[in-house]
Amino acid sequence: MADAGQQVAAQIEFLRRQLADREPGSLRDAYLAVPVPGRPVLEGTTAPALTPQWQQQPSGLITPATAPTQPIDLLGVYLTFSEIFGFPADSGYTVRQLRVLPLGVVLQFCAELLNALSQPGASRADLDRHFATQWLRDPFRTRVLNLLRDPRRALLVPQALMLLARAAVEHSPDTLPEDTEQGNLVGALLTFSDLTGASGRQGPTVITDQPGELGREIIANQYFNNSTSVAHTLTRYVRRWRHGLPQVDNIGGLVDLAAVYEECTGVTLDDLTIVAGALWIAACHGEVLTPAAELETLLPAGRAAGALSLISAHPDTLREAVQAERAQRRTEWTFDAFQQYPVVRLGDLLLVVDQRYLIDRAFGWLPINDIRFPPRTRSRPAGHKKRAEQAVHTLRRLSELYVSEILHSITGQGGARRVYDDAELKTAFQEKKQKIADAAIDYGDTWIVVEVTTSQLQRDAATAVPGDAQVNDIDKLLDEVHQIDATIQALRRDESRLTGVAGPVRRRYLPLLLLTEGFPVNPVTMTVIRERADRDGLLQGQDVMPLEVLDVEELELIEALQEQQGVSLLTLIQRKQASHLERMPMRSFLYATITTAFSHPQRFEGKISEALRPLETALLKREQPTT
């Protein structure tokens, strides 16, 4: 018993030394500490040790358990042919298969997968598992399903599907002899996963004020995969192409876009809406093939064909367009032919290759190209060049007005004192050659100085063509940054000339670029633009926050958050710039950090219906009984 008592006493003394030996004597009996599982303490004390807990991120990184989302966690990685089958792909395999596959079969295969991925609410993970089960046999099926347990892995790759479609246009015949054994379509697709990006080019990987080869690929990848919400696109379409200019806008040289479109193409915007809208709705219901005769019932004779001539092509026309791309330094991101002709004519059927391309072609910025480059079969109207320039100028002006309207909507509820537009800024700061931004928003202790631009990536920049295209496009944005910088300096000197009252002693300035047609914001582009701005001496001073770049859809998301959760534009930008996603797109930050659901802004109410009203009217008219 004595031995047992001594053992207990020794254990108690050991615990005392472990838990209290190093604490001051006055504290040893002054409080009780309750041990908590998983909460280590410093030896000899009851003080909790600041030992971080660790976790593995989806990217594979081991980070502190409290670490927020990192940029790498937002990237997806596709499965390669080598991973699936255990040996590398044969570089000539795809072409050999396509030569014994009818073009229509390949294009329909690609279209069904692309449109499945584009469906509202579609689960990429569910689609990947479905097609892995459908396409593959064991052991490959089990291997792929196990790899797909990682939510960042993907089997269906839109770029590979578009590359397969493009290659089919070049190599697949329209028809095959009846006794020909057809090629392996799934194998041809999966081969692209190994061959894409395997050109062997080398370039710098350190990003400064030049994107380099790696940067070019990242920019092109993001540009290609950026998916614009249909609701956002149709709402902007109504404002820009349908409503036109407010009567208070007295700027000269502006035109009625709908009238000029019909004048140059012979097709009304209503007819284009009816044809494109009907094809889009069919694709949304899983019908990628639509009989041409069905569209002809919606419009008087010849008018459906006129609209289709702008957005669709026969295989021979598509081949000419794809071959023309070869002479223009085509890359693995170049799909111009399908962007111009998102609908392919296969006999009497119309195939929607990708509904995203169809929506952009009919309702986004691209209809302006129909005005600039009318169909060859139609003679250009008198003064066409001037009319086209006026149309482009009008579309740019309407895009800027649309952004201004959103800013007023946001700040009217978001704690800002006032939005000062460019006219007010120009009146306040009238010095000769004074550059002025498009808007300045007063948030009390902070000015958000906004420049709106319709600039967008040129073709070479968007498709990673080697050269200076991307730097040149970023330098165009620097011209807009000069406007912001000059306005910040004017406000610093004497903001009372704008506001009419003396400003606070301490002000901060947040420079904001708003791009109406989108821009691939990522660590590469943000590093390049900020480095080049710093090189030019722009946005200097401790009172100037880092330059932020948003597109109009992100501004619309912020408008919805402002309405539904009361969080302001300034607050969201400040939170983003304090996060690990500071150089990522605002939408990535919002979706990664906003845990409560939010929907579209109130302004969107009824806009989709308004955009498609010509189609609705045509459908109702078709259903009316004839007398």
Side-chain angles (χ1 to χ4, degrees):
M1 293 292 293
D3 290 342
Q6 290 174 355
Q7 290 177 359
V8 170
Q11 289 175 351
I12 292 173
E13 176 60 22
F14 172 77
L15 291 174
R16 187 194 66 76
R17 289 197 305 268
Q18 291 292 312
L19 294 174
D21 189 58
R22 298 182 184 178
E23 291 182 340
S26 60
L27 293 180
R28 291 176 187 172
D29 300 320
Y31 68 95
L32 294 175
V34 180
V36 177
R39 182 188 178 191
V41 297
L42 295 175
E43 183 178 347
T45 78
T46 53
L50 299 178
T51 304
Q53 302 297 306
W54 300 92
Q55 66 182 7
Q56 187 172 24
Q57 296 290 334
S59 60
L61 289 177
I62 304 297
T63 63
T66 56
T69 303
Q70 303 285 338
I72 195 172
D73 297 321
L74 304 178
L75 301 179
V77 183
Y78 58 80
L79 300 181
T80 65
F81 184 97
S82 301
E83 282 181 296
I84 296 171
F85 298 108
F87 57 89
D90 176 358
S91 60
Y93 181 81
T94 294
V95 172
R96 292 197 301 271
Q97 303 310 305
L98 290 175
R99 286 173 176 166
V100 286
L101 282 164
L103 176 61
V105 170
V106 182
L107 291 181
Q108 184 176 349
F109 172 79
C110 295
E112 287 176 348
L113 293 176
L114 286 166
N115 282 287
L117 289 168
S118 299
Q119 294 287 12
S123 167
R124 190 212 70 206
D126 289 345
L127 289 169
D128 281 343
R129 287 191 293 269
H130 170 75
F131 286 107
T133 302
Q134 185 180 65
W135 290 347
L136 302 172
R137 301 174 183 173
D138 274 331
F140 309 116
R141 176 193 299 154
T142 300
R143 181 182 301 169
V144 168
L145 290 176
N146 283 331
L147 289 169
L148 290 174
R149 291 170 67 89
D150 180 347
R152 297 176 64 253
R153 304 307 303 275
L155 177 63
L156 297 179
V157 184
Q159 183 194 11
L161 289 164
M162 288 305 305
L163 286 170
L164 181 63
R166 191 180 74 180
V169 170
E170 292 183 284
H171 301 291
S172 293
D174 290 340
T175 59
L176 289 174
E178 290 185 5
D179 59 346
T180 303
E181 182 179 351
Q182 292 192 10
N184 187 332
L185 190 49
V186 172
L189 171 64
L190 296 179
T191 298
F192 272 114
S193 64
D194 259 18
L195 302 180
T196 301
S199 62
R201 297 191 303 268
Q202 299 296 324
T205 56
V206 177
I207 307 301
T208 56
D209 64 345
Q210 298 282 337
E213 182 180 329
L214 174 63
R216 286 197 301 270
E217 288 293 317
I218 291 174
I219 292 169
N221 188 318
Q222 186 176 350
Y223 186 86
F224 171 82
N225 286 293
N226 182 46
S227 183
T228 303
S229 162
V230 173
H232 290 259
T233 299
L234 292 182
T235 298
R236 290 196 293 275
Y237 170 76
V238 169
R239 179 64 188 87
R240 299 193 298 187
W241 289 91
R242 290 293 184 184
H243 286 181
L245 292 158
Q247 295 182 355
V248 296
D249 199 302
N250 297 318
I251 299 177
L254 303 179
V255 294
D256 182 336
L257 289 177
V260 176
Y261 190 87
E262 183 176 4
E263 179 184 348
C264 292
T265 66
V267 175
T268 67
L269 284 180
D270 281 357
D271 288 357
L272 182 64
T273 296
I274 290 169
V275 168
L279 291 170
W280 171 64
I281 289 175
C284 285
H285 286 84
E287 299 295 333
V288 297
L289 285 169
T290 300
E294 187 173 319
L295 295 182
E296 292 170 359
T297 65
L298 296 173
L299 288 165
R303 283 171 50 182
L308 282 170
S309 70
L310 299 174
I311 64 173
S312 69
H314 291 281
D316 287 343
T317 303
L318 205 58
R319 286 191 181 98
E320 292 177 6
V322 168
Q323 289 168 359
E325 292 174 2
R326 278 198 174 276
Q328 300 172 5
R329 298 196 293 174
R330 184 181 71 177
T331 73
E332 293 172 336
W333 302 102
T334 306
F335 307 111
D336 296 358
F338 294 100
Q339 290 174 315
Q340 183 178 1
Y341 303 117
V343 180
V344 181
R345 292 171 172 267
L346 300 175
D348 296 329
L349 297 174
L350 301 169
L351 175 70
V352 177
V353 176
D354 189 337
Q355 58 182 272
R356 297 176 307 164
Y357 282 170
L358 177 60
I359 289 292
D360 288 343
R361 180 64 180 84
F363 302 102
W365 180 274
L366 292 180
I368 200 69
N369 288 336
D370 294 330
I371 295 175
R372 297 174 61 205
F373 311 107
R376 297 176 183 176
T377 56
R378 183 175 178 80
S379 59
R380 299 190 175 191
H384 168 260
K385 183 177 180 180
K386 181 178 180 180
R387 294 285 281 171
E389 291 174 350
Q390 290 174 324
V392 172
H393 176 54
T394 301
L395 184 57
R396 293 186 186 280
R397 176 59 181 164
L398 287 167
S399 300
E400 293 166 354
L401 282 174
Y402 180 76
V403 171
S404 177
E405 291 164 3
I406 300 174
L407 289 175
H408 280 275
S409 171
I410 289 176
T411 54
Q413 310 172 51
R417 295 180 180 177
R418 184 173 179 182
V419 179
Y420 296 89
D421 293 317
D422 58 345
E424 296 169 290
L425 289 166
K426 289 175 182 176
T427 300
F429 306 116
Q430 296 180 350
E431 289 86 349
K432 188 177 181 181
K433 297 183 179 180
Q434 169 72 58
K435 294 180 178 180
I436 289 297
D438 289 315
I441 309 173
D442 184 359
Y443 274 96
D445 63 344
T446 303
W447 281 104
I448 298 183
V449 183
V450 184
E451 181 67 16
V452 182
T453 177
T454 56
S455 294
Q456 49 193 301
L457 288 186
Q458 300 303 303
R459 178 182 177 277
D460 284 359
T463 57
V465 171
D468 297 328
Q470 292 177 341
V471 170
N472 292 339
D473 280 351
I474 288 175
D475 281 342
K476 289 180 184 177
L477 295 183
L478 281 182
D479 293 338
E480 313 295 337
V481 176
H482 277 276
Q483 305 283 100
I484 296 174
D485 183 72
T487 305
I488 289 175
Q489 293 186 41
L491 289 168
R492 270 200 195 116
R493 286 192 296 268
D494 187 4
E495 68 176 59
S496 66
R497 295 172 58 181
L498 177 66
T499 64
V501 296
V505 174
R506 183 181 176 85
R507 279 277 204 182
R508 292 185 304 165
Y509 303 91
L510 173 56
L512 174 59
L513 265 179
L514 278 170
L515 289 97
T516 66
E517 306 312 308
F519 184 78
V521 172
N522 57 57
V524 174
T525 55
M526 292 308 296
T527 296
V528 172
I529 192 170
R530 288 177 180 175
E531 292 272 352
R532 295 178 82 82
D534 188 63
R535 177 202 64 186
D536 292 351
L538 302 174
L539 308 179
Q540 303 296 300
Q542 295 183 351
D543 56 350
V544 180
M545 299 166 67
L547 173 69
E548 190 66 32
V549 179
L550 304 179
D551 65 31
V552 66
E553 184 167 328
E554 291 168 334
L555 192 65
E556 291 166 328
L557 292 174
I558 293 172
E559 181 183 13
L561 277 167
Q562 170 64 63
E563 291 175 354
Q564 297 158 33
Q565 300 186 21
V567 59
S568 72
L569 170 65
L570 175 62
T571 298
L572 285 170
I573 294 177
Q574 287 174 325
R575 289 178 183 174
K576 176 176 179 287
Q577 292 193 347
S579 76
H580 290 271
L581 302 178
E582 187 259 342
R583 297 190 185 214
M584 294 294 283
M586 174 61 82
R587 73 191 69 199
S588 297
F589 169 76
L590 295 179
Y591 291 137
T593 59
I594 303 296
T595 57
T596 53
F598 61 97
S599 57
H600 297 129
Q602 293 177 1
R603 289 184 309 99
F604 281 31
E605 187 70 30
K607 289 298 189 296
I608 295 178
S609 177
E610 184 176 353
L612 298 177
R613 189 161 295 150
L615 173 60
E616 180 184 353
T617 302
L619 289 170
L620 290 172
K621 186 176 181 180
R622 186 178 67 177
E623 297 303 318
Q624 291 177 352
T626 56
T627 56

